[in-house]
Amino acid sequence: MFVQILGSAAGGGFPQWNCNCVNCAGFREGTLRAQARTQSSIAISDDGVNWVLCNASPDIRAQLQSFAPMQPGRALRDTGISAIILMDSQIDHTTGLLSLREGCPHQVWCTDMVHEDLSTGFPLFTMLTHWNGGLAWNRIELDASFTIPACPNLRFTPLPLRSAAPPYSPHRFDPHPGDNIGLIVEDLRTGGKLFYAPGLGKVDAPLLEIMAGSDCLLVDGTMWDDDEMQRRGVGTRTGREMGHLAQNGPGGMLEVLEQLPKQRKVLIHINNTNPILDEDSPERAELVRRNVEVAYDGMSIEL
């Protein structure tokens, strides 16, 4: 299994276009040792030729441009994207579908809840029907694994995660199973398993057991502290209120990962305020000490 990190930042990317927090301002001024990052998206393949895109961020065009297999050049019009999986219906994970309109129809896998959101409050499925039929919906059943014809050696198992629906959702204040999912992706040839959850608000005992059975954990790295947005002066909501488990503190992501000593651990979906973006920060040093990696655009993982 080949996993390519196309984008590793949370919504807004890094540096965020309208933000002058310590991280963003420091990066622009050249006083912060860090890498720029686009908004979170990955691609997965079993052969390095046909790729499943997991989420379509607003930065999708630049991400495809930076990864040569996405434009294999086999025909006059061509793409390495064979299918798309949507983990949720958030704007920073779905808006890129608009930039893929020239390649429609696309095979899209998502839950009932995500399909509902993207057919009502943010009706991408309806809008894109005008481009060669648009998006062909393939339902993700929450209690069943599925395969995708273009990558037959990969088995995908959805994991309902606790999170909030976006502001345009009909059930914004009434969370439903399927608003947000994680994925177990298993290579049926090698046995390699990826646990992918860019939005993860809580880890209970059953989920921890699932994570323990995976070889690589690619998990929510949005915030270092739960009140980080407030402390940085750029927001009022906590990480938990937004459906993200902070790394630091009792019960935080680092404590969770500490219980999983055998797995490769990689943080993704990193907010522009997170001090781990600063490669010289004590928080980044703590990750190194704990053998936890920070995803970056262009990172490749093979399982």
Side-chain angles (χ1 to χ4, degrees):
M1 180 191 335
F2 303 96
V3 182
Q4 184 71 15
I5 310 300
L6 299 175
S8 53
F14 175 71
Q16 184 170 307
W17 64 278
N18 67 336
C19 185
N20 291 300
C21 71
V22 171
N23 283 349
C24 293
F27 181 85
R28 293 192 189 97
E29 294 165 1
T31 59
L32 187 85
R33 192 164 69 92
Q35 296 184 51
R37 288 170 164 83
T38 58
Q39 295 167 93
S40 176
S41 179
I42 70 170
I44 306 174
S45 176
D46 62 359
D47 60 6
V49 177
N50 300 292
W51 293 84
V52 177
L53 183 66
C54 294
N55 291 336
S57 89
D59 301 314
I60 189 64
R61 187 182 181 281
Q63 293 170 348
L64 299 183
Q65 180 81 11
S66 68
F67 186 48
M70 287 303 187
Q71 181 43 266
R74 298 164 295 193
L76 185 61
R77 293 289 180 94
D78 198 14
T79 179
I81 301 173
S82 297
I84 301 168
I85 297 175
L86 300 178
M87 312 290 287
D88 55 50
S89 55
Q90 298 287 346
I91 198 166
D92 52 317
H93 290 159
T94 59
T95 312
L97 293 169
L98 294 170
S99 296
L100 300 178
R101 62 191 182 279
E102 294 89 354
C104 289
H106 293 291
Q107 297 294 321
V108 176
W109 272 256
C110 66
T111 65
D112 286 323
M113 293 299 100
V114 171
H115 183 257
E116 179 184 358
D117 289 349
L118 299 183
S119 301
T120 53
F122 187 27
L124 291 180
F125 275 88
T126 304
M127 294 159 58
L128 288 170
T129 57
H130 301 284
W131 281 269
N132 201 30
L135 309 175
W137 180 35
N138 298 266
R139 178 184 281 109
I140 291 179
E141 303 286 354
L142 295 178
D143 58 354
S145 299
F146 63 96
T147 57
I148 291 175
C151 295
N153 296 303
L154 299 181
R155 179 167 59 203
F156 299 86
T157 303
L159 302 167
L161 302 176
R162 185 174 300 182
S163 188
Y168 41 80
S169 173
H171 46 91
R172 166 66 168 172
F173 300 107
D174 180 23
H176 285 55
D179 283 337
N180 182 285
I181 62 169
L183 285 174
I184 291 289
V185 187
E186 181 180 5
D187 189 315
L188 300 177
R189 299 164 305 177
T190 67
K193 286 185 180 181
L194 171 73
F195 175 85
Y196 177 51
L200 183 55
K202 181 180 180 180
V203 179
D204 55 18
L207 185 58
L208 185 66
E209 185 175 351
I210 291 171
M211 294 169 71
S214 301
D215 300 296
C216 180
L217 308 172
L218 190 55
V219 296
D220 192 334
T222 306
M223 295 180 183
W224 179 260
D225 289 308
D226 189 49
D227 61 351
E228 183 174 301
M229 300 284 284
Q230 299 164 335
R231 292 169 61 182
R232 296 274 188 168
V234 297
T236 59
R237 301 175 67 197
T238 66
R240 290 185 185 275
E241 288 172 343
M242 294 185 285
H244 298 290
L245 180 62
Q247 285 110 62
N248 193 30
M253 188 65 76
L254 289 184
E255 282 195 1
V256 171
L257 296 179
E258 195 73 18
Q259 302 174 64
L260 304 165
K262 298 180 180 180
Q263 286 70 27
R264 182 176 181 183
K265 308 160 200 174
V266 185
L267 300 176
I268 195 170
H269 195 270
I270 303 152
N271 199 56
N272 66 89
T273 56
N274 195 326
I276 66 173
L277 290 169
D278 180 354
E279 297 176 18
D280 298 317
S281 67
E283 291 84 0
R284 187 63 168 265
E286 180 66 11
L287 295 187
V288 173
R289 187 184 71 80
R290 292 174 178 257
N291 200 30
V292 176
E293 302 174 63
V294 179
Y296 56 87
D297 293 20
M299 184 181 195
S300 298
I301 298 171
E302 187 172 344
L303 298 172

